[in-house]
Amino acid sequence: MSKIHAAITAVHGYVPDYVLTNQELETMVDTNDEWITSRTGIKERRILKGEGLGTSDLAVPAVQALLKKRGIGADELDLIIFCTTTPDMVFPATANILANKIGAKNAWGYDLSAACSGFIFGLATGSQFIESGKHKKVLVVGGDKMSSITNYQDRATCIIFGDGCGAVLLEPNEEGNGIIDSILKSDGSGVTYLHQKAGGSVRPASHETVDNREHFAYQEGQAVFKFAVTNMADVAHEVMERNNLTGEDVAWLVPHQANKRIIDATARRTGLSDDKVIINIERYGNTTNGTIPLCLWEWESKFKKGDVLILAAFGGGFTWGSIYLKWAY
């Protein structure tokens, strides 16, 4: 019998309508378009506006469109892995909330939290359920309402983040396409440099934590950049080297969209020319778990069956990883 791989058989994304431009940010904090663009590559990002809307509301339209595209019902899904840093609630899992909203009555599910590497970790995890034969249809969702934990008085972070969500369907493939290999890593000593101080069990919400603005993403930019620029590039190179791939063999690099300079460094390390690198950071900023699936969604029409894709990400934790996959359709 030929080996079963977990292949992506459908992908879709969703971004909210409201566009937050660099020009609007200039009116909120001491920054300017040139400074933001030269350091991050970001021109605008999307923001989910409206009372009572959370990350699951970004996922619903993405998943509904994906199911329609694939021609299946939500009741055919076996498992939902929701990769997010901004769950609707501390509990229950946003995967459960999403399942209820879309009518996935036969699926079990859970949330996966690994900051910006979450979607890659989720893909690797979901693929195990397919490869083992346990499940036939696994939905992996990556999405965040980063505006809910962004401090719009902090010019170091508010220029970076946006809201968005993407989803992929994993199904068995016996033609040799799908997820071939992954390398996943983490280093908990990075917690100091990138975290949200309050809202967990160590510092539960109180008057003090709210007054001190501790319920927002905090980042020591230089330290994170130094670690990310090396490790994201190295892990992408490592998965290629382990599978005897050169830049010639790879059709597309799908990097996490955190910073244009980190993306460029990863492209150089893997020996890929600019025309093989997927970039949409200028329009969406860093949507955390949403970046990679949104890239796959926007470039889907350019992918050909058998194309080699290298996915790479880096996030808080620190977490980082890469996936080597062959496109299945």
Side-chain angles (χ1 to χ4, degrees):
M1 258 185 57
S2 51
K3 180 171 161 47
I4 291 172
H5 291 289
I8 294 172
T9 56
V11 57
H12 210 83
Y14 175 79
V15 290
D17 296 332
Y18 188 86
V19 178
L20 176 60
T21 62
N22 289 350
Q23 285 69 27
E24 187 177 347
L25 281 172
E26 286 176 12
T27 68
M28 296 156 69
V29 288
D30 180 19
T31 191
N32 62 69
D33 174 60
E34 194 280 323
W35 193 90
I36 298 170
T37 309
S38 63
R39 278 159 185 78
T40 67
I42 303 166
K43 284 287 187 188
E44 56 189 47
R45 63 291 292 144
R46 300 297 183 97
I47 306 294
L48 181 63
K49 298 276 191 181
E51 210 49 49
L53 297 177
T55 301
S56 69
D57 297 292
L58 294 167
V60 169
V63 173
Q64 286 175 336
L66 175 148
L67 295 171
K68 190 178 175 193
K69 197 188 267 183
R70 187 70 185 126
I72 62 168
D75 58 352
E76 293 178 58
L77 297 173
D78 298 311
L79 165 63
I80 298 172
I81 301 175
F82 204 130
C83 314
T84 187
T85 301
T86 52
D88 284 16
M89 303 173 180
V90 172
F91 76 93
T94 311
N96 303 147
I97 296 168
L98 173 65
N100 184 51
K101 286 182 176 179
I102 62 171
K105 301 222 181 309
N106 299 311
W108 66 286
Y110 59 91
D111 290 359
L112 191 154
S113 172
C116 296
S117 307
F119 183 75
I120 277 190
F121 284 19
L123 263 190
T125 307
S127 70
Q128 306 303 308
F129 288 96
I130 298 288
E131 287 175 22
S132 68
K134 180 86 175 158
H135 291 322
K136 292 280 184 276
K137 288 179 171 58
V138 175
L139 180 73
V140 183
V141 183
D144 275 293
K145 183 188 174 185
M146 287 306 291
S147 60
S148 67
I149 59 165
T150 297
N151 179 0
Y152 289 97
Q153 293 176 12
D154 174 18
R155 68 175 186 172
T157 53
C158 73
I159 62 171
I160 299 166
F161 296 110
D163 301 342
C165 182
V168 300
L169 184 65
L170 294 177
E171 294 185 84
N173 182 288
E174 291 185 25
E175 300 178 328
N177 293 321
I179 294 169
I180 311 295
D181 196 10
S182 63
I183 298 175
L184 312 172
K185 298 178 183 253
S186 59
D187 177 358
S189 66
V191 67
T192 328
Y193 308 109
L194 187 51
H195 61 265
Q196 180 182 312
K197 208 165 281 184
S201 59
V202 174
R203 281 183 71 76
S206 66
H207 250 302
E208 186 194 3
T209 64
V210 173
D211 292 344
N212 291 343
R213 304 184 73 77
E214 291 178 8
H215 293 264
F216 298 117
Y218 165 80
Q219 168 168 289
E220 281 182 35
Q222 275 313 105
V224 174
F225 178 82
K226 254 164 70 177
F227 208 93
V229 81
T230 318
N231 285 283
M232 188 166 128
D234 282 353
V235 79
H237 178 257
E238 193 182 336
V239 83
M240 286 172 61
E241 199 171 49
R242 188 156 91 179
N243 291 278
N244 301 312
L245 297 169
T246 67
E248 294 292 302
D249 303 313
V250 178
W252 300 98
L253 173 69
V254 193
H256 168 56
Q257 311 283 305
N259 180 301
K260 176 72 164 64
R261 291 184 294 169
I262 296 171
I263 295 170
D264 290 344
T266 307
R268 281 196 302 274
R269 184 85 173 86
T270 51
L272 288 167
S273 52
D274 290 351
D275 58 337
K276 290 182 168 186
V277 183
I278 296 178
I279 301 176
N280 59 15
I281 191 171
E282 73 284 354
R283 285 177 291 125
Y284 302 136
N286 181 355
T287 55
T288 302
N289 285 277
T291 60
I292 289 176
L294 284 171
C295 284
L296 294 173
W297 168 52
E298 289 205 322
W299 264 258
E300 181 191 21
S301 63
K302 294 186 170 72
F303 299 156
K304 293 191 285 293
K305 189 174 178 175
D307 273 359
V308 170
L309 274 61
I310 299 292
L311 282 48
F314 178 89
F318 291 130
T319 56
W320 65 105
S322 62
I323 283 179
Y324 154 39
L325 68 83
K326 287 185 178 177
W327 199 250
Y329 63 95

